[in-house]
Amino acid sequence: QSLMRQHRGPASRVYMVSSAGRGEGKSTICGLLAIVAARIFHRHTLVIDADMRRPTMHQLLDLTQKPGLYELLHGQTTLDLARRPTTLPLLHAIPSGKPGSHVSDSYDDEAFEKLLQSLRPSYDLIFVDAAPIVPVVEPIMMAEHVDGILLIAMAGRTPITMIRRMRGILTPVANKVAGAIVNNATEGLPYYYDYSYYGYKPLLSRRDRKQVGTPIAPGADGTPNGDGDASPHAAPAATAGRNDRPAATRTTKPKPKE
């Protein structure tokens, strides 16, 4: 939602999603971003699997891997064949394709730039799932042709040295970094990042409150609120301390006679 608000201009529509190293969930998050953009925000969206070393987008979206990006960059197929529809009407995908034995020679920077230029007028948002930044050189080359970079880090797993190394590599395109997403934050962050550490309790839905037996406060019209919270117009509950009893009910012990 923040991404939609910050980058509404026609020039800001292509985002590269990457991480410092492998196994940080970047491909899954890239696919989810594309699905949310198409399904929730109704944007005409394209996702490109540009991680030709470890492609997974075709598995996430239940597509065949070939033909795809590799065949497009090397003139072995057409855009109409490489670009596939998905189960969502507003979401298209270009899988990685199947590189030859020399994966390091799979990327063609000039062809990739021309491909993005041809795709820009057709989509509101384009997400490029790139290889990890630290061990692979292709992402920094792709970064020259995108409008923004989204970085993924796995909480409790990504070493800080890798984060610093990634920051150094991205220095020439640092102005394109649009944001970072922390994956596995609930399990991976230290205990003091948990709300319960500061005394906050998780909010329960109306159904969950019924299951645990928590009363649902009625609203101003006498009906329960949709979220189970007390109505702002409801009168505060009366509280009584041990000295707040009515005077008639108070008892005092007689003073002993001297």
Side-chain angles (χ1 to χ4, degrees):
Q1 191 172 9
S2 176
L3 187 66
M4 302 297 172
R5 288 197 302 263
Q6 294 178 8
H7 303 278
R8 294 177 178 176
S12 299
R13 60 179 59 181
V14 182
Y15 295 92
M16 183 184 80
V17 181
S18 187
S19 59
R22 50 186 284 189
E24 301 187 53
K26 65 171 182 61
S27 296
T28 302
I29 292 178
C30 182
L32 290 175
L33 287 173
I35 291 173
V36 169
R39 184 172 183 177
I40 305 300
F41 293 96
H42 307 290
R43 303 293 180 90
H44 199 189
T45 307
L46 173 69
V47 58
I48 302 175
D49 191 348
D51 188 355
M52 290 180 281
R53 297 172 184 266
R54 297 178 61 88
T56 58
M57 195 61 64
H58 64 284
Q59 298 174 347
L60 293 174
L61 299 177
D62 195 21
L63 303 172
T64 57
Q65 185 177 353
K66 182 181 179 181
L69 180 62
Y70 173 81
E71 289 76 21
L72 271 176
L73 297 183
H74 293 271
Q76 299 177 8
T77 189
T78 63
L79 180 59
D80 291 336
L81 293 177
R83 179 174 47 189
R84 319 286 178 77
T86 67
T87 55
L88 298 177
L90 295 179
L91 177 61
H92 290 165
I94 297 179
S96 64
K98 289 190 176 181
S101 55
H102 300 286
V103 183
S104 58
D105 299 330
S106 302
Y107 178 69
D108 187 321
D109 191 60
E110 183 178 353
F112 184 76
E113 180 183 12
K114 292 180 179 179
L115 175 63
L116 289 184
Q117 290 177 350
S118 66
L119 292 170
R120 282 178 180 272
S122 303
Y123 294 95
D124 299 317
L125 283 170
I126 300 175
F127 292 99
V128 179
D129 179 23
I133 291 173
V134 174
V136 182
V137 69
E138 287 94 330
I140 193 63
M141 301 172 67
M142 295 179 182
E144 295 288 344
H145 312 306
V146 302
D147 306 314
I149 303 171
L150 298 174
L151 302 175
I152 313 299
M154 177 75 79
R157 178 170 178 174
T158 308
I160 189 64
T161 53
M162 290 278 285
I163 299 293
R164 290 170 178 166
R165 177 60 179 153
M166 177 176 63
R167 184 180 63 179
I169 294 174
L170 291 174
T171 299
V173 290
N175 61 322
K176 291 188 176 184
V177 177
I181 299 174
V182 179
N183 196 10
N184 195 39
T186 304
E187 301 295 332
L189 290 178
Y191 66 91
Y192 45 78
Y193 282 87
D194 193 348
Y195 281 112
S196 61
Y197 176 72
Y198 296 98
Y200 296 106
K201 295 181 179 179
L203 295 177
L204 297 179
S205 65
R206 185 183 180 194
R207 183 176 62 181
D208 292 337
R209 290 190 178 191
K210 285 183 177 180
Q211 292 176 354
V212 300
T214 304
I216 301 175
D221 56 354
T223 59
N225 291 330
D227 58 357
D229 293 334
S231 169
H233 302 291
T239 59
R242 58 184 179 182
N243 294 325
D244 294 336
R245 289 179 295 178
T249 62
R250 293 180 183 174
T251 58
T252 58
K253 294 183 180 180
K255 296 179 69 175
K257 297 181 179 180
E258 296 183 357

